[in-house]
Amino acid sequence: MTAVRPYIEFAKVAFSREATYRFEVFTSIGSLLVRVYLFRMVWTALYFHNAGIRALTLQEAITYSTVALLMSLVMDIDQTRLLVSKLEDGSIATDFMKPIVVPLYFFSDGTGEVVFHAATIVPSLLLALLIVHIQVPSPVVLVVFFLSFALGYFVGLLMNFVLNCIAFWTLEIQAMQLIVTWITDLLGGEVIPLVFFPPVLQSFIYILPFAAMYSTPLLIYVGVITPDEYLRVLLLQAMWIVIFAIAAVFMWRFGSRRVVVQGG
Amino acid sequence: MSTLEIWADVYKQYWRINFLTALEYRANFLVWFGFTFIYHATALAALWIILREFPVMNGWTFGEMAFLYSLWMLAHALNNTLFLTVGDVPEHVREGEIDRLFIRPLNPLFQVLTTPQQIFPDELVLAILLFILATIWSNPIIDIWFVIFVPLVVIGGALIDFSINLMIATCAFWFVKVDALRWVAFQLEQEFTRYPISIYTKGVRLVLTFLLPYAFMNYFPATFFLDKTEDALHFPPQIGLLSPLVGLATFAVAYSFWRVGLNHYESVGH
């Protein structure tokens, strides 16, 4: 238990640090609500003017977008970005001298941040419910949704970690990270449900890891992924976690060796 | 040397430095160019996917939506090329560098706009290419009005964009940290300009027309050029041609506010 102790403290510090930026939290909730409202207007306009049977009903589309936005409060946090700033100012060298596992330190710092932002989901959800009506699925579906959300979260976390490790070689990765973020938002189904993509594109996208982040939990939530498919999609998400975890270990091992060779 | 000549000379030097730095950091430039390209490409891809599934949005086809987007992109890219450094004002205030602007015998805003960066008009080039494509897709009537007014509307749109950024930057004289505000305004701009404003409720349309006149960057001009009959606020279509005037008016307001901000800052006496 004592081994875990410092990491809990790191997380607590990060939590209080985030809590000091109260204005930022209010604006992020505010902008989220504006977007919830925007999506409702966009979907309504689209369904109103285009008859036809679709993979999602209007109500499901609104629910999908609203839940996606709430998920993004947590998903969009780059939990290991401390790595990049530490590489930039060189302070990573002293971290290596401390009796801690450095990646775990970054992870705990990010966890504190994530826990804080997860707490902001509750008020956001309540306010969002005032603006739009969203569907609430059965408890069983909700449990599977949260499980899938957690798996999706770890896919994103590990992918970010792998990306951040690139900074060991290049230092400047901000532009590249934003590019990956936009591609993830689009191909992961955050902006538009993947079921609306052209079929040819869909079969291609489902081979990529992005769908494991947003699309899978969201399609479980709105009921497009049915109970008999749960096991398959959850295993697929788990598979991506394993793949990215292996990549993360390799990247960290080779990357951190570079720091030692350079002498910090 | 007359004042105007000095301004022109400073401006020429400023662009020389911009180009030289962009040339020096070529790899960095290429990465940021990829960034700009992917940003607009994903936005257009999203539009295309949505309009493939739902063929019309309030009577607008994909080609027309692309035209709407490209008008916004032109104005926004022009703003980014000419006026991007206004976003650094909060940082200048934080670091105390703003004091330097008062000492030099040049207009402070002009000095802000000529702080060398790594600016390259790559986004503007992309915007022009997209505009040509979107014009082919959406088939507007290309007459003398089109040729005269497209550039004017783009300049007006850039002024609107710039003025709103300037007002936000000016808030830094009071609040110092305005990052969140900037982020929200930026998000509102990019998301609310993407669709015809007729899909929004009346209140939102009024805000986008009179309070933060983003609708004059693309929606009103596009309805005129594309000869759309639907209209969000029952204005005649020619209202779209007023963009340059709206741009000047917003700039006048923003500049007055900037002056108030400067005076306020001096009175605190940092």
Side-chain angles (χ1 to χ4, degrees):
Chain A
M1 200 55 207
T2 44
V4 188
R5 202 60 190 270
Y7 303 105
I8 296 175
E9 291 305 317
F10 291 141
K12 276 189 190 161
V13 170
F15 184 93
S16 349
R17 182 189 65 215
E18 287 304 300
T20 53
Y21 297 114
R22 238 163 290 168
F23 183 67
E24 303 270 324
V25 172
F26 288 135
T27 38
S28 79
I29 293 178
S31 100
L32 179 117
L33 294 179
V34 171
R35 297 174 74 196
V36 164
Y37 185 58
L38 175 90
F39 273 119
R40 193 190 79 170
M41 286 185 281
V42 171
W43 287 128
T44 310
L46 288 172
Y47 276 85
F48 190 70
H49 290 275
N50 298 278
I53 298 158
R54 321 217 170 254
L56 296 176
T57 63
L58 171 59
Q59 195 53 49
E60 283 168 349
I62 291 173
T63 301
Y64 183 104
S65 292
T66 310
V67 177
L69 283 171
L70 291 169
M71 279 172 67
S72 75
L73 281 178
V74 161
M75 293 284 279
D76 282 353
I77 296 169
D78 179 359
Q79 215 181 341
T80 51
R81 62 151 187 214
L82 200 58
L83 169 59
V84 180
S85 60
K86 289 244 167 205
L87 279 171
E88 273 167 2
D89 62 19
S91 60
I92 194 161
T94 49
D95 288 329
F96 276 121
M97 295 176 209
K98 293 174 191 160
I100 49 169
V101 183
V102 180
L104 270 185
Y105 159 49
F106 298 146
F107 177 75
S108 345
D109 182 88
T111 305
E113 212 175 302
V114 165
V115 170
F116 178 74
H117 286 270
T120 64
I121 288 188
V122 180
S124 313
L125 176 67
L126 294 177
L127 289 167
L129 284 174
L130 287 178
I131 300 176
V132 295
H133 170 75
I134 64 167
Q135 295 172 339
V136 183
S138 71
V140 180
V141 177
L142 269 183
V143 169
V144 183
F145 163 75
F146 278 113
L147 182 64
S148 173
F149 183 3
L151 291 172
Y153 174 75
F154 279 103
V155 176
L157 165 73
L158 289 166
M159 196 179 85
N160 269 328
F161 184 71
V162 171
L163 279 176
N164 283 329
C165 280
I166 293 176
F168 278 119
W169 287 269
T170 61
L171 280 183
E172 154 69 42
I173 58 160
Q174 201 197 349
M176 196 192 61
Q177 267 180 322
L178 279 168
I179 291 175
V180 174
T181 305
W182 294 326
I183 293 177
T184 311
D185 287 352
L186 185 66
L187 300 186
E190 184 197 355
V191 194
I192 304 164
L194 296 181
V195 286
F196 288 157
F197 280 51
V200 187
L201 225 55
Q202 274 190 48
S203 47
F204 171 66
I205 292 167
Y206 285 122
I207 306 171
L208 302 172
F210 307 112
M213 291 181 219
Y214 277 98
S215 183
T216 308
L218 285 165
L219 290 181
I220 288 172
Y221 190 99
V222 295
V224 170
I225 292 178
T226 49
D228 53 305
E229 293 172 294
Y230 284 170
L231 191 64
R232 190 179 63 84
V233 294
L234 292 178
L235 280 176
L236 203 59
Q237 283 184 297
M239 182 195 84
W240 284 114
I241 292 180
V242 173
I243 291 175
F244 277 117
I246 293 170
V249 169
F250 270 100
M251 291 293 278
W252 175 260
R253 197 163 286 173
F254 288 110
S256 56
R257 203 172 288 167
R258 272 179 69 90
V259 174
V260 178
V261 170
Q262 286 180 326
Chain B
M1 258 212 278
S2 73
T3 329
L4 211 63
E5 272 175 286
I6 295 171
W7 280 47
D9 196 47
V10 170
Y11 207 61
K12 218 171 69 191
Q13 290 299 328
Y14 159 73
W15 271 108
R16 210 176 74 88
I17 297 168
N18 274 347
F19 279 125
L20 287 178
T21 17
L23 277 176
E24 188 168 358
Y25 299 97
R26 238 166 299 175
N28 197 26
F29 166 75
L30 280 178
V31 173
W32 283 101
F33 177 75
F35 163 92
T36 311
F37 183 81
I38 298 283
Y39 172 78
H40 293 289
T42 47
L44 277 171
L47 267 187
W48 180 76
I49 291 162
I50 273 293
L51 283 142
R52 201 190 143 279
E53 175 75 17
F54 301 89
V56 283
M57 181 182 256
N58 268 25
W60 293 63
T61 61
F62 171 70
E64 292 169 334
M65 296 282 281
F67 187 82
L68 186 75
Y69 186 88
S70 71
L71 261 190
W72 169 77
M73 188 180 164
L74 273 172
H76 184 67
L78 185 63
N79 166 65
N80 280 351
T81 309
L82 300 179
F83 310 124
L84 189 71
T85 42
V86 79
D88 297 337
V89 167
E91 206 185 313
H92 294 326
V93 172
R94 232 182 353 245
E95 309 273 317
E97 284 166 11
I98 205 96
D99 296 45
R100 235 189 282 167
L101 306 185
F102 300 124
I103 302 165
R104 297 194 195 122
L106 259 181
N107 181 301
L109 182 59
F110 181 71
Q111 291 183 57
V112 167
L113 294 179
T114 50
T115 311
Q117 272 270 355
Q118 289 185 49
I119 295 172
F120 207 80
D122 53 328
E123 192 180 18
L124 198 57
V125 174
L126 283 178
I128 293 170
L129 291 177
L130 176 67
F131 180 75
I132 294 170
L133 276 178
T135 305
I136 295 168
W137 293 334
S138 60
N139 230 342
I141 306 152
I142 300 176
D143 53 8
I144 186 78
W145 296 114
F146 188 86
V147 179
I148 294 173
F149 272 100
V150 166
L152 286 176
V153 158
V154 170
I155 293 167
L159 274 176
I160 293 168
D161 205 352
F162 166 54
S163 307
I164 293 168
N165 289 335
L166 177 60
M167 280 193 255
I168 293 165
T170 305
C171 290
F173 288 116
W174 287 273
F175 305 117
V176 184
K177 217 171 142 73
V178 291
D179 301 357
L181 199 64
R182 256 172 83 191
W183 172 242
V184 171
F186 174 66
Q187 216 172 33
L188 290 186
E189 177 189 342
Q190 54 168 357
E191 303 212 349
F192 279 91
T193 51
R194 204 157 286 181
Y195 312 106
I197 70 163
S198 55
I199 70 166
Y200 308 129
T201 45
K202 193 76 175 277
V204 177
R205 293 181 213 177
L206 290 172
V207 168
L208 293 174
T209 307
F210 296 108
L211 199 61
L212 301 167
Y214 289 129
F216 282 96
M217 284 177 83
N218 63 349
Y219 174 75
F220 288 120
T223 41
F224 175 80
F225 294 134
L226 297 173
D227 202 21
K228 307 289 291 177
T229 45
E230 65 115 27
D231 185 44
L233 288 168
H234 309 294
F235 290 134
Q238 286 81 5
I239 186 126
L241 302 180
L242 291 181
S243 291
L245 292 179
V246 175
L248 286 174
T250 352
F251 178 66
V253 174
Y255 191 69
S256 316
F257 184 51
W258 161 259
R259 294 301 300 256
V260 174
L262 283 184
N263 287 330
H264 172 82
Y265 182 75
E266 278 174 312
S267 72
V268 177
H270 276 275

